[in-house]
Amino acid sequence: MPLPVSAALDHWLARGRFWPCQGYRHFVASAGHGPALLLLHGYPTGSFDWQPLWPRLSAHRRLIAPDFLGLGFSDKPAEALYTISAHADRIEQLLAEEGIDALSIVAHDLGVSVAQELLARVQEGRSRLHIHALVLLNGGLCPEAYQPRFIQRLLASPLGAWIGPRVSRAAFERTLRELFAAQPPAALLDDFWTLLEHQQGRRVAHRTGAFWRDRMAQRDRLVQALLSPRRPPLRLINGSADPNSGRHMADAFLALSPSTEVVHLPDVGHWPQWEAADAVSAALLGFLESHPAAATP
């Protein structure tokens, strides 16, 4: 039986379509006109995470917000590849079919690692994309500084395939509450659970969530992509109270790149777009408008 979908999720579904790729359906939300802006979400939710920013961003940009395979409303096959590279492959194919080769990127959590992979490919001459600007929200910029929750470690362990389908809603919500600085609304936790449970997503949670080990294995290449002199303009927007990738992550990256622009949100957790939508929208749009290439179609 399909899960009941809240009014908020139903409204989000109405913003998008299902795009076929590699034999699977991928949900893609889109809106607006103007310079292309790719929105890459995190784990374990979906593109719905951009909903609080959507009205302001879509008034200024052409938005493309896919659900990664295995997450959100996209298909969740047991046999698919869920590596950072595989996600990036599918994103590049989507952009090619949309006729987009010049864009800016806003990314969060898992999406940050995929953005780093895309940027590395550009610098290696393996991608046709022109990335005008990057805005990165809480994610594993420096993999060695990332502090995964206990349940994430369990899912990435040899027991992950057994544990994933047995993760209770109580354990799921307890972990999410740790990542918010303020108490998240019950309705939002309902929606996050619905996104996880869509197409029995817990069956592949151990595979979709293992990206943090994947990026550790590629640490030097992914970090160097952000340190290269050929890197596009970059701004970090950091919810400092995030125990996974908060102030300590921003500080770790600043130690490598002291001139990087950082917007610190001191009383905000892992999802700045949910906890501080106005501040994130202003910081994001202000940055894009300050760089002419990112502000021009």
Side-chain angles (χ1 to χ4, degrees), residues 58-284:
S58 61
H60 300 270
R61 295 287 184 277
R62 176 187 176 186
L63 305 183
I64 306 97
D67 281 356
F68 291 122
L69 192 68
L71 296 166
F73 287 116
S74 289
D75 285 349
K76 299 176 179 177
E79 68 277 9
L81 287 176
Y82 295 111
T83 61
I84 293 167
S85 180
H87 287 313
D89 287 345
R90 292 183 281 261
I91 294 298
E92 283 201 280
Q93 185 171 335
L94 171 64
L95 293 173
E97 293 187 20
E98 291 285 329
I100 296 171
D101 57 12
L103 73 163
S104 297
I105 300 176
V106 179
H108 173 244
D109 189 69
L110 163 61
V112 168
S113 298
V114 177
Q116 287 174 270
E117 172 65 29
L118 292 172
L119 182 60
R121 293 181 183 192
V122 171
Q123 294 170 358
E124 294 161 357
R126 298 194 296 118
S127 174
R128 63 180 183 81
L129 294 178
H130 300 280
I131 301 174
H132 293 312
L134 283 170
V135 180
L136 305 180
L137 282 63
N138 295 53
L141 299 161
C142 299
E144 67 276 13
Y146 186 69
Q147 298 180 15
R149 299 300 86 198
F150 178 65
I151 195 171
Q152 291 177 275
R153 293 184 181 277
L154 285 178
L155 287 171
S157 76
L159 295 175
W162 184 87
I163 291 171
R166 293 167 175 81
V167 171
S168 68
R169 177 161 180 169
F172 175 77
E173 290 194 4
R174 184 166 57 249
T175 300
L176 291 189
R177 291 180 194 279
E178 292 175 358
L179 297 174
F180 279 86
Q183 183 77 358
L188 182 59
L189 295 178
D190 288 344
D191 288 338
F192 281 5
W193 179 253
T194 298
L195 291 169
L196 176 66
E197 282 287 82
H198 177 72
Q199 292 196 13
Q200 299 179 309
R202 282 182 292 166
R203 292 180 304 112
V204 297
H206 65 293
R207 301 192 62 207
T208 55
F211 71 92
W212 62 274
R213 291 197 182 278
D214 182 18
R215 72 183 172 205
M216 181 63 81
Q218 301 185 66
R219 185 268 178 202
D220 290 348
R221 176 171 168 272
L222 295 179
V223 172
Q224 185 55 41
L226 294 178
L227 301 178
S228 168
R230 293 184 292 139
R231 180 201 78 192
L234 169 67
R235 172 173 281 183
L236 308 184
I237 300 177
N238 184 259
S240 302
D242 172 16
N244 272 18
S245 49
R247 182 63 184 250
H248 62 282
M249 183 64 71
D251 288 346
F253 189 73
L254 285 172
L256 301 175
S257 180
S259 63
T260 300
E261 294 184 36
V262 182
V263 176
H264 293 286
L265 301 174
D267 299 315
V268 173
H270 182 68
W271 278 276
Q273 63 271 54
W274 283 107
E275 291 193 66
D278 289 345
V280 171
S281 294
L284 196 164

